Amino acid sequence: MLASMNLSLHEWLLRDRVIEALNSNLSLPKALEAARAPLLELMPADYMGLCLITLGPHVEFKWLVPGHRLALLDEYSKWVDSDFIRAPIFAQPNVALRDSEMLTRKELERSPLYQRSRELDLSLEHVMAVLLPVPPGLCGAFTLYRDRRLPFSEQDATLLTSLTRHLVNAVRNCRDVQAATTGASLLEELYSRPDSAFLVVAPPSHEVLRSQRAAALLERWFVPSDLHSSGIPRVLQERLEALTRMDADARVEASLWVSLRGDAYRVVRFIELPATEGPRSWALVLNEIPVSIPLPETMRRALTTRQADIARGMLRNWSNKDIASEFALSEETVKVHVKAIFERLKVDSRADFLYQASHLNKPV
């Protein structure tokens, strides 16, 4: 996708600024506010908003709108059933869609949301939106609005699609590691949680802080010969050093480390801390997940019977060959099923599947 974008140097620099801003704070409203100016310059628009959608028996909507207030979104609960954006983006998650791909111009002008925007003197003439799946149980609908008759271009949609992983990562990190609302620092908030296991490291290998639970986990996971001279496990120090050299797109893919040892998975998420917490250090958040975790019910309902069987095999750390043997299938058929499972569950890899399944069984 990146190779297909015909961007000027200035546009590439703007895109980098957007990504940097999304990673600048673990308060989601502040991260969006920081990203607003470069994003609206990169894809010219008059307003932007992120709707956090909590899934469950009672679906909840919460709008975060940096910059200019949008009175229409303050009334969103009244108009949610008339929202012409929701169905199309849910049908194609992670793909930016323009209003012209959702409905005709005549249908847009007849829609209750458009007519209400005119009554509020907003005149939202064009929209572009993308669904951000953030399992478990959360989605984000990121939307750009123009109040003039200038349609979003195909290049705009490609650009927004290229930023989707970074938007998902920002929402996920802000959800997983909430900054304290009382004004305490992020690290104080983390340290106050009795079940929190984390290291804070200033690259390449200076350990700033280690929680008590992390100390216990690392002692169980590694032997002295596994440690770097700094005392940090060498495999984690090397992953962190590699992350600091990666560009932002590659970094999203490499921020989760998973290793199977005995009857448990060892999982470490690498989260770059905000500059306001001091130099750009990293939090390494540690979890230990039993191999025998069951397939969560919400995942099972999204899969066919055969896919659910294969998903349970993956949770037992079976290879594609093992799964093929167990269910009398070819390895190629198993690969097709695995790809379909990932698409249905909106996960990127086996590691991500494991991580999201563990969240649904017991939040980590």
Side-chain angles (χ1 to χ4, degrees), residues 18-34:
V18 171
I19 294 168
E20 182 179 357
L22 290 172
N23 289 287
S24 68
N25 204 297
L26 289 174
S27 163
L28 190 54
K30 291 179 180 179
L32 290 172
E33 182 59 47

Side-chain angles (χ1 to χ4, degrees), residues 95-154:
V95 176
L97 298 177
R98 296 167 287 161
D99 53 81
S100 59
E101 298 169 295
M102 304 178 198
L103 73 178
T104 67
R105 182 70 202 180
K106 184 175 291 186
E107 289 170 334
L108 172 66
E109 293 178 352
R110 289 176 177 172
S111 70
L113 277 174
Y114 178 84
Q115 293 179 14
R116 180 56 178 158
S117 77
R118 303 273 296 186
E119 293 170 0
L120 295 170
D121 293 326
L122 290 173
S123 188
L124 298 181
E125 298 293 341
H126 291 285
V127 299
M128 180 169 66
V130 62
L131 184 74
L132 314 172
V134 190
L138 182 68
C139 291
F142 184 80
T143 310
L144 296 174
Y145 303 89
R146 286 178 177 167
D147 61 11
R148 58 200 186 284
R149 292 290 293 270
L150 178 64
F152 287 99
S153 67
E154 186 175 342

